[in-house]
Amino acid sequence: MTPRTLWRAAVSAAAALALTLPAPPAGAAPTDYQAEDATISQGAVESNHAGFTGSGFVNYDNVVGSYVEWTVSAPAGPADVTLRYANGTTAARPMDFTVNGVAGAVGITFPGTGAWTTWQTKTVRLQLNAGTNVIRARATTADGGPNADRLTVAPTTDDTQPPSPPGNLAVSNIKSNAATFTWSAATDDVDVVRYEVNRGGNILRVVDGNTLTATVDTLTANTTYDVSVGAFDAAGNASQQSNVVTFTTPPSGDTQPPTAPGNLRSTGVTANSVSLAWNASTDNSGSIAGYDVYQGSTKVSTTNSLTATITNLTPNTQYTFTVKARDPDGNASAASNAVTVRTSTGGAGGIPAYDRDIAKVDLGWSVAFLPDGSALVTERDRFEVLRVTSTGQKTTLGTVPGAVTTTGEGGLLGLALSPDFATDHWVYFFHTAANDNRIVRMKYENGVLGTTSEPVLTGLAKNRYHNGGRIRFGPDGKLYATVGDAKVSGNAQNRGSLNGKILRINPDGTAPSDNPFVSTGGNARYVWSLGHRNPQGLAWDSRGQLWAAEFGENSQDELNLIQKGGNYGWPACEGTIGDCGGYIAPERTWSTAQAGPSGVEIVNDWIYIAGVTGQQLWVTQINSSGTGVGTPQAVFSGRWGRLRSITRTPDGGLWLTSTNNDRNGGTPTVIDNVIVRLRFS
């Protein structure tokens, strides 16, 4: 293999095309795809070395990033993907394999074969979606890839065992923008092909299965991080996470403040609220840590977005606001322009105001109101069920049997009352168990919670991250459940998996006969919608339409209008980013730093979304046709921290809960989160 000449590069461009073949049935014979028929970037089709199949082979250019990309069809699930190659040099030529733009096998080496006429094979296990998949083999060094003759795709289902968790994660060399992580190897019955370094459920760095250290150089100064590592095998099975390391990056020594926010303006006024928006500041560090909103000289809101709604104002009163920006080192900008606004004289608006504190709890993940006006509340990491009255009186009713933590996002999560609670007394829970996530039900009669639970649906894969966990009964009397992909993104497009879905089940755990894939049988019969990453919020509007909120990966969070059998695109599409053709687009997106949407409630076709990451409540109104929403407004920014659930009260208000310190299994001995009541004008 020699460096490419200009005329050969021109041949390469002219040769680029895609080949699609019919999907083989599960268990069918392997399917061959010739390299010369694939899409080629920085490479050329040649035939000067004997022994190839088809009409030629692809000679990669000697550059990082040169690739061959095959469009293949297959059933959902793992597939053994074999590349026939030749490498006439003594240096190994590593490549990464991606499927639909998602990392599949990282750092796969192709050692020398002795001669360019000596052909060998290398097999990786990739997780494929049902139907069309794009497999790319990309060179990762300046030597380019080996000569590529043919790709063979053989669907298989023989590896379902995940790797063990990586161990002994440690952090060192902590700088203002970087840190180095080391860990001990995971084990697998076949092979570990990659490790993902995670902050929360977001990926910071991916390395191959032979690498046990990684330096992340995209950190922010003066910021606290909690990081873990997960392992993946070639079949796409994800391990549970390693131990967590928590650290704070030091200040960078920067003393230059950001520029002042620009064009502060009012975007909405009610009798008790003013909505504001402004243009972004810039900083020499490259990032803005947040914005502070001032009413006169008093700070009234802290946010990392470019909007805020100030509540609890007096009708027909004039207020003046300014905004300042902060960089990661705490340097504050000059104030923006001032804007003076007068609240209206009255009338009920969609923006709620703070009413009063209800109670202090640990991590109040979900709330459901009883017929007497009191509420049941799930404590995520204490596994307790509380009864809380409107005056704040708390009673611990008991624990849910078998509930365990994942030292992350799992534990005792969703809660729902049976539609026939007055007669059957069933309370439904979504919780993490020893081997899975599951939905169970327990009796609550005469003020007493039972001591045993009855399984309703089991076998939902769990992980430290991406468990989903919200359950609610819909207007149709069916139980809906949000289930995360459990860190295996391929689950979301696999109808045979319960993960990465919104599920719909009968109260007794059977599958409704009108579910979209019920005729398929198996797990698919419970699926209502698919292509979800980590959905958590569910609510219905006045038309009976289902809306759901979903955490994004690293770019966009989503608010979706859910359709029966609808596919929302994950992992090929995140929000509106990626290969989104043919998938249902979200009605609204936010950056993942601004929202982190968890609980959702709808009152008179106003949608309220509790933001965990953004630490604010988002409010928007469904349009008159019921097909979309207006511009969301951020309320209570930074006031109570990470907001988890929002629930309509029987007396016409809202209960809002916070779950701070919830990232690493929480602090269940500390009762420091809140339930507050919001009111409408």
Side-chain angles (χ1 to χ4, degrees):
M1 182 168 178
T2 56
R4 185 81 56 241
T5 62
L6 289 176
W7 75 266
R8 290 166 72 193
V11 171
S12 168
L17 63 136
L19 175 69
T20 304
L21 297 180
T31 303
D32 291 335
Y33 300 85
Q34 293 296 334
E36 64 269 21
D37 294 326
T39 297
I40 303 163
S41 175
Q42 297 177 296
V45 177
E46 297 184 350
S47 57
N48 57 321
H49 297 307
F52 58 83
T53 62
S55 60
F57 58 86
V58 174
N59 182 355
Y60 280 74
D61 282 357
N62 301 107
V63 293
V64 174
S66 53
Y67 68 78
V68 180
E69 184 177 272
W70 292 266
T71 301
V72 308
S73 291
D80 286 330
V81 176
T82 301
L83 182 67
R84 189 172 189 264
Y85 76 98
N87 178 5
T89 73
T90 58
R93 296 180 180 241
M95 295 200 295
D96 289 346
F97 286 79
T98 62
V99 179
N100 304 320
V102 177
V106 179
I108 305 302
T109 57
F110 292 83
T113 59
W116 293 111
T117 55
T118 301
W119 299 88
Q120 295 182 5
T121 60
K122 186 85 169 188
T123 299
V124 297
R125 182 71 60 82
L126 301 177
Q127 189 74 20
L128 303 184
N129 298 332
T132 300
N133 296 266
V134 177
I135 299 175
R136 176 179 293 184
R138 175 186 176 275
T140 60
T141 71
D143 290 332
N147 286 353
D149 176 44
R150 180 183 66 211
L151 194 77
T152 301
V153 178
T156 181
T157 58
D158 59 350
D159 183 8
T160 59
Q161 180 175 328
S164 65
N168 303 313
L169 177 64
V171 60
S172 62
N173 300 322
I174 301 172
K175 302 177 181 178
S176 61
N177 68 336
T180 298
F181 303 93
T182 57
W183 58 90
S184 56
T187 59
D188 186 66
D189 59 329
V190 179
D191 194 19
V192 174
V193 298
R194 77 177 190 275
Y195 293 97
E196 290 183 357
V197 182
N198 298 286
R199 182 196 188 190
N202 304 121
I203 299 173
L204 297 177
R205 182 76 189 276
V206 179
V207 297
D208 66 77
N210 298 315
T211 301
L212 301 177
T213 184
T215 296
V216 178
D217 59 4
T218 55
L219 305 182
T220 301
N222 200 28
T223 302
T224 299
Y225 288 85
D226 53 285
V227 174
S228 63
V229 175
F232 290 79
D233 64 17
N237 298 310
S239 76
Q240 297 299 307
Q241 296 289 302
S242 70
N243 60 295
V244 178
V245 293
T246 301
F247 62 96
T248 300
T249 53
S252 66
D254 172 31
T255 59
Q256 180 176 329
T259 62
N263 190 27
L264 177 64
R265 57 205 183 273
S266 171
T267 58
V269 178
T270 71
N272 67 342
S273 72
V274 172
S275 296
L276 303 169
W278 55 90
N279 295 348
S281 299
T282 60
D283 188 68
N284 61 307
S285 69
S287 63
I288 298 294
Y291 296 92
D292 298 320
V293 182
Y294 290 84
Q295 178 185 313
S297 60
T298 303
K299 186 189 299 185
V300 292
S301 181
T302 296
T303 180
N304 54 13
S305 61
L306 299 176
T307 64
T309 297
I310 312 306
T311 63
N312 286 74
L313 304 180
T314 302
N316 195 29
T317 303
Q318 185 170 287
Y319 294 90
T320 298
F321 301 96
T322 56
V323 178
K324 295 180 181 180
R326 288 175 285 105
D327 67 15
D329 282 292
N331 300 304
S333 75
S336 69
N337 59 294
V339 62
T340 299
V341 184
R342 180 175 291 276
T343 53
S344 60
T345 56
I351 303 297
Y354 166 73
D355 185 12
R356 64 181 187 273
D357 287 0
I358 296 295
K360 286 286 186 72
V361 295
D362 173 33
L363 298 175
W365 208 93
S366 192
V367 175
F369 281 91
L370 294 162
D372 65 3
S374 65
L376 300 183
V377 180
T378 55
E379 289 271 34
R380 192 193 73 178
D381 293 344
R382 295 166 70 92
F383 318 128
E384 291 178 345
V385 182
L386 305 180
R387 177 178 175 267
V388 183
T389 68
S390 60
T391 59
Q393 180 181 353
K394 293 190 302 181
T395 305
T396 300
L397 301 177
T399 59
V400 174
V404 301
T405 183
T406 63
T407 62
E409 296 173 352
L412 179 55
L413 304 176
L415 164 69
L417 298 187
S418 165
D420 300 317
F421 177 79
T423 55
D424 66 24
H425 308 294
W426 284 119
V427 182
Y428 290 74
F429 300 96
F430 185 118
H431 74 84
T432 307
N435 299 308
D436 62 0
N437 285 311
R438 54 182 50 199
I439 299 170
V440 302
R441 61 184 182 180
M442 300 173 67
K443 289 286 188 177
Y444 178 64
E445 298 177 286
N446 302 317
V448 177
L449 182 70
T451 58
T452 60
S453 65
E454 177 181 297
V456 175
L457 186 64
T458 63
L460 289 66
K462 70 173 186 176
N463 205 303
R464 181 168 187 258
Y465 306 117
H466 301 192
N467 294 291
R470 194 73 58 184
I471 55 174
R472 293 190 78 166
F473 278 95
D476 56 3
K478 308 301 182 184
L479 182 64
Y480 292 74
T482 66
V483 188
D485 67 11
K487 287 294 289 179
V488 179
S489 59
N491 284 338
Q493 293 296 326
N494 179 5
R495 294 181 188 175
S497 169
L498 295 170
N499 291 81
K501 309 292 190 302
I502 294 176
L503 307 179
R504 178 176 181 260
I505 60 179
N506 290 318
D508 63 358
T510 58
S513 60
D514 58 342
N515 273 1
F517 312 115
V518 69
S519 62
T520 303
N523 287 333
R525 68 189 190 274
Y526 299 105
V527 174
W528 188 250
S529 62
L530 66 155
H532 299 290
R533 177 184 177 272
N534 191 20
Q536 286 191 10
L538 292 173
W540 285 263
D541 63 19
S542 64
R543 295 173 174 84
Q545 299 180 125
L546 174 60
W547 296 77
E550 181 166 342
F551 286 78
E553 176 70 30
N554 291 304
S555 300
Q556 291 186 339
D557 295 327
E558 305 175 15
L559 174 66
N560 289 303
L561 179 56
I562 301 300
Q563 299 178 22
K564 177 181 179 178
N567 191 330
Y568 291 81
W570 176 255
C573 180
E574 178 187 352
T576 58
I577 297 173
D579 184 8
C580 298
Y583 299 118
I584 299 172
E587 299 303 324
R588 182 62 59 177
T589 63
W590 298 262
S591 78
T592 52
Q594 293 177 346
S598 185
V600 175
E601 187 60 281
I602 298 178
V603 179
N604 296 329
D605 284 346
W606 285 81
I607 302 181
Y608 304 90
I609 305 167
V612 177
T613 309
Q615 302 187 13
Q616 48 203 347
L617 181 70
W618 289 95
V619 183
T620 187
Q621 188 175 22
I622 301 170
N623 62 27
S624 59
S625 63
T627 57
V629 296
T631 301
Q633 301 177 51
V635 188
F636 308 120
S637 302
R639 182 163 180 175
W640 295 294
R642 293 163 64 85
L643 303 180
R644 179 63 61 177
S645 72
I646 182 76
T647 310
R648 187 175 187 174
T649 66
D651 60 359
L654 295 166
W655 274 18
L656 178 67
T657 74
S658 66
T659 55
N660 296 294
N661 302 316
D662 58 355
R663 295 175 179 86
N664 303 316
T667 52
T669 59
V670 180
I671 308 299
D672 59 353
N673 281 292
V674 299
I675 302 174
V676 299
R677 186 185 187 277
L678 310 180
R679 60 178 170 82
F680 297 104
S681 299

